[in-house]
Amino acid sequence: MVAGETLADMFRRLIANHGPITLQHYMGESNARYYAANDPLGSAGDFVTAPEISQMFGELIGVWLTDMWTRAGRPAGVRYVELGPGRGTLASDALRVMRRHGLEPPVHFVEGSAALRRLQASAVPGAHWHDDPGSLPDDGPVLLVGNEFLDALPVRQMVKTAQGWRERMVDWQDGRFLPVSGDRPMDAAVPPHWRDAPDQTVIESCPAAAAVVDEIARRLARHGGAGLLIDYGYTAAQTGSTLQAVRAHQKVDPFAAPGEADLTCLVDFAAAAEVATVAGARHLGTTGQGDFLRALGIQTRAAQLSNVAPPQSSAIRAAVHRLIDGDEMGELFKVMGLAAPGWPDGAAF
Ligand code: SAH
C-alpha cells in the first residue's frame, strides 16, 4: 500500500500495471479493509446478525455445546473457540449458559479486525486471539462455533465462455470496476460434471472456507470436540454468482466502493461437509436455522424471558419470528454440525 491510498486507488494501480485482478483478490482485500476499521453490526451499522437480534441465539448455541460436552463424558481441557466473533455477543451469551453447567473453558477467538477485537475484549475478558485457525491450540478438545464467518471469505469464480472456462477477474473500465473473464484457460480447474455447461455459466468455490473447515475438522478428529457453522448457504451444488454487498441494510453494487461495504457469498455446505469428512470429522447434519432453534426449545426460552419481563414480550416474539420463520432467517440460514469420531450425535440434527 502507498500511504494515503484508498483501496480503490490501490486496485486501479494494480490493474493499470498488471491487468485485471482475480475476483478472489478483490473480495479478500475489500473485506479485510472493511472489517479492519468498522463495527458493521447492529441497527446503526450495515447489517444485523442473529446474536445481535436476541440473546436466545447465543444461549441455545451454549445449550447445544454443553449438551455435546456432557454426553461426551465431560472431558477435561476443553476450549471454547469462535470464528469471527463480531462484538462478542454470541460468545458471552453461550458462555453464560455453559458456566451454569460447570463448564468454564478458556476462550480462543479467530478475528482479523483490530476494531472488533477491542469490542470482544470488553464482552469476554480474558479471551485469546488468533489471526487464523492455523494457530489455534492443538492439544485438547474444542467446542467451536462460527456464525456468519465463512460467507465473508473470498470466493473464486469460473465462467464458461465461447473459448472455454475462464477465471472471473475485476477490471477498471470507463471509470468503474467491473467483472470480466480472464485470458488464461481454466478448464482443468473446473469439476468434470460442469465442463460442458452452457456459455455464461458461473461456478463458485471458496478455497479459504475449505481451508478453515479442513483445519478445524482435523483438530476435532485428533483431540475431540464438536462445532457448529452457521451461515446463509445451500446444501446441493448450484451454479451462478452469489456475490452480494450490503451497506446500511441495503443491497448495493459489490463493485461500487471496495472496502466500504460487506461482501458475502452463500456458503456451499455440501462442499464444507465433504471437506470435513475427508479430514476425519463426523458431519452430524446440516439443517435450517429455524428447525435447529425450534428443536433446542427457543419457544420455551422465549416464554421464560417474557415471564420475567412482560413489557418485553412483543419484542421477544418479534425476535423469535426473525430467527426462525421461513420467510426470515429460518430457512436460508443453515446450521452445520461437526464432531469428533468418538463424540455423540448432535441434538437437533
Ligand atoms: N459472528 C458475528 C460477526 C459476523 S461478521 C455475529 O454473528 O455477529 C464476520 C466476522 O468475521 C467479523 O468478526 C469479522 O471481523 C470476521 N472476519 C471476516 N473475515 C475474516 C478473516 N479472513 N479472518 C479473520 N476474521 C475475519
Side-chain angles (χ1 to χ4, degrees), residues 7 29-42 44-47 49 52 84-88 111-120 246-248 257-263:
L7 185 60
E29 292 284 341
S30 296
N31 274 353
R33 180 67 67 97
Y34 174 75
Y35 283 107
N38 292 304
D39 168 16
L41 299 157
D46 288 328
F47 57 94
T49 55
E52 302 298 332
R87 291 177 170 173
E111 176 56 66
S113 158
L116 289 174
R117 281 186 184 196
R118 281 193 288 277
L119 292 178
Q120 292 155 17
V246 171
R247 193 173 184 181
E260 291 173 35
D262 180 44
L263 300 186

Side-chain angles (χ1 to χ4, degrees), residues 54-125:
S54 167
Q55 69 186 76
M56 292 181 281
F57 185 79
E59 289 172 346
L60 292 172
I61 305 277
V63 165
W64 191 90
L65 293 171
T66 306
D67 173 61
M68 289 301 283
W69 176 71
T70 305
R71 287 188 294 121
R74 300 170 71 99
V78 72
R79 294 184 180 94
Y80 175 88
V81 172
E82 189 171 336
L83 309 175
R87 291 177 170 173
T89 309
L90 192 172
S92 105
D93 292 333
L95 290 162
R96 188 175 60 247
V97 167
M98 292 158 77
R99 247 188 329 266
R100 269 188 231 134
H101 294 88
L103 175 55
E104 292 192 64
V107 173
H108 290 260
F109 288 153
V110 174
E111 176 56 66
S113 158
L116 289 174
R117 281 186 184 196
R118 281 193 288 277
L119 292 178
Q120 292 155 17
S122 50
V124 183

Side-chain angles (χ1 to χ4, degrees), residues 172-188:
W172 173 259
Q173 290 176 13
D174 305 322
R176 60 196 194 102
F177 293 107
L178 81 173
V180 297
S181 40
D183 296 333
R184 279 206 294 141
M186 281 293 175
D187 301 78

